[in-house]
């Protein structure tokens, strides 16, 4: 896989996943701050000029969840559960992260990181805080329970997809102790460290 990547963006998921499954990876740095995603060459790969974009099996793909799923399905190391119920839960959690958690969580984090307090989208930040504190944190903490990872003792696709959002929710102070410890376990993995390196 040839992966166009900038640290801390959603391409971090793909780098993390590729590392976990031992995939061959050709990493191409893209600096969004310098507008490298706006070139005609890059826009030909991703029409919205976002990362990740990747070349896999002779085709160009994008969307972090889809790329992680391709990597997981090509792995035989237990990264995608073989039990049908567990596999279904891995997919459910993964799509939940991409469809429900990403936009608000990452959006709120970027507001806090890059904007002065008076210029922030207060409604987005408040909505994100309510989403996590009232619903996601108690529910997800219950899913995790006393397990090492979301589906048991084996890291799976679900941990990379959901764990990515938990990283940013944690930086916003929106996790409970259980989920905070979970993120701490994720952060000890070399794949995580490579994905979130500056």
């Amino acid at each position: 896989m040839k992966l166009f990547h900038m640290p801390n963006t959603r391409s971090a998921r793909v780098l993390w996943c590729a590392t976990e499954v031992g995939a061959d990876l050709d990493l191409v740095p893209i600096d969004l701050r310098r507008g490298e995603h706006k070139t005609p060459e890059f826009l030909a790969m991703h029409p919205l000029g976002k990362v990740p974009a990747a070349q896999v099996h002779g085709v160009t793909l994008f969307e972090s969840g889809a790329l992680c799923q391709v990597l997981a399905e090509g792995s035989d190391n237990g990264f995608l559960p073989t039990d049908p119920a567990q596999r279904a839960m891995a997919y459910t959690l993964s799509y939940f992260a991409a469809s429900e958690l990403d936009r608000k969580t990452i959006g709120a984090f970027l507001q806090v990181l890059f904007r002065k307090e008076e210029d922030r989208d207060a409604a987005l930040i408040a909505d994100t805080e309510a989403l996590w504190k009232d619903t996601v944190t108690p529910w997800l903490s219950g899913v995790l329970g006393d397990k090492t990872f979301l589906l048991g003792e084996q890291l799976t696709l679900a941990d990379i997809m959901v764990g990515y959002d938990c990283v940013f929710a944690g930086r916003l102070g929106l996790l409970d102790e259980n989920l905070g410890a979970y993120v701490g376990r994720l952060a000890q993995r070399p794949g995580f460290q490579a994905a979130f390196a500056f």
Side-chain angles (χ1 to χ4, degrees), residues 99-152:
S99 64
E100 299 293 337
L101 298 183
D102 276 8
R103 184 177 56 83
K104 284 189 177 181
T105 307
I106 298 165
F109 177 75
L110 292 175
Q111 290 281 324
V112 171
L113 184 64
F114 290 115
R115 295 198 175 186
K116 295 179 181 177
E117 188 168 356
E118 61 270 19
D119 296 329
R120 293 174 185 166
D121 184 339
L124 172 62
I125 294 170
D127 285 349
T128 303
E129 290 178 350
L131 173 71
W132 279 89
K133 289 182 177 178
D134 298 344
T135 305
V136 175
T137 292
W139 175 77
L140 193 58
S141 189
V143 170
L144 177 63
D146 60 0
K147 300 186 297 293
T148 302
F149 301 111
L150 289 172
L151 299 181

Side-chain angles (χ1 to χ4, degrees), residues 5-23:
H5 167 68
M6 181 169 174
N8 287 300
T9 67
R10 289 177 183 89
S11 64
R13 276 182 175 140
V14 186
L15 174 55
W16 182 7
C17 186
T19 303
E20 293 288 350
V21 302

Side-chain angles (χ1 to χ4, degrees), residues 186-197:
L186 296 178
Q188 294 174 14
R189 302 185 70 89
F192 178 102
Q193 293 165 15
F196 285 94

Side-chain angles (χ1 to χ4, degrees), residues 16-81:
W16 182 7
C17 186
T19 303
E20 293 288 350
V21 302
D24 290 330
L25 193 64
D26 177 11
L27 200 61
V28 181
I30 291 289
D31 192 335
L32 304 181
R33 295 163 296 196
R34 297 177 63 181
E36 294 175 359
H37 59 305
K38 301 287 189 183
T39 66
E41 295 79 14
F42 192 84
L43 289 170
M45 291 187 293
H46 194 310
L48 301 181
K50 295 183 177 182
V51 290
Q55 294 169 348
V56 189
H57 306 308
V59 296
T60 301
L61 305 173
F62 49 86
E63 289 299 324
S64 64
L67 288 163
C68 287
Q69 186 171 331
V70 167
L71 288 165
E73 289 174 349
S75 167
D76 60 0
N77 68 352
F79 191 69
L80 197 57

